Amino acid sequence: DALKISQPQVTTLHGARDLKITVSLTVTNVGDASGSEVVQLYVSHPSTSGLTHPPKLLRKFEKVRDIQPRETRDITLVLDKYAVSYWEDRIGSWAIDSGEYAVWVGKSSSDLLLEGTVVIEKAHAFEWTGL
């Protein structure tokens, strides 16, 4: 099935900025017995960032429990600013780079079944201090 990735939305609450990206997919039990699955979501930083980042970072996971045979469930995972940011020593704050981020979903980092991309525009990139 397809991976649906929303456009990034930047919000400000009490002076603090946040970012929200919604990732939606469908999980189907194709077996003859009920079961559970852990859906894992990985993100990679843009290759244009100029820094070396790990190729895939686990940023979200969800256990889908007790899926009956041939049952289909819609799953939604929400990424925030922490999922696409990194600590930038040169400026002493967290940073979100603009560019194209790869998104993968699967059972593990070696069993990725769905892939997509999301672009964070320069207007949506920002820095912040603290947690």
Side-chain angles (χ1 to χ4, degrees), residues 61-116:
F61 62 90
E62 182 174 326
K63 186 159 189 174
V64 184
R65 300 177 188 277
D66 303 320
I67 308 171
Q68 299 306 309
R70 286 166 269 312
E71 179 185 358
T72 297
R73 293 216 193 137
D74 294 327
I75 307 299
T76 300
L77 303 168
V78 178
L79 301 175
D80 59 13
K81 66 184 178 184
Y82 299 100
V84 294
S85 64
Y86 62 95
W87 179 257
E88 177 53 84
D89 274 334
R90 293 177 298 174
I91 59 175
S93 68
W94 292 93
I96 297 174
D97 287 334
S98 60
E100 184 177 272
Y101 290 73
V103 177
W104 294 275
V105 175
K107 300 174 182 184
S108 72
S109 63
S110 61
D111 191 3
L112 299 169
L113 305 170
L114 300 171
E115 181 178 351

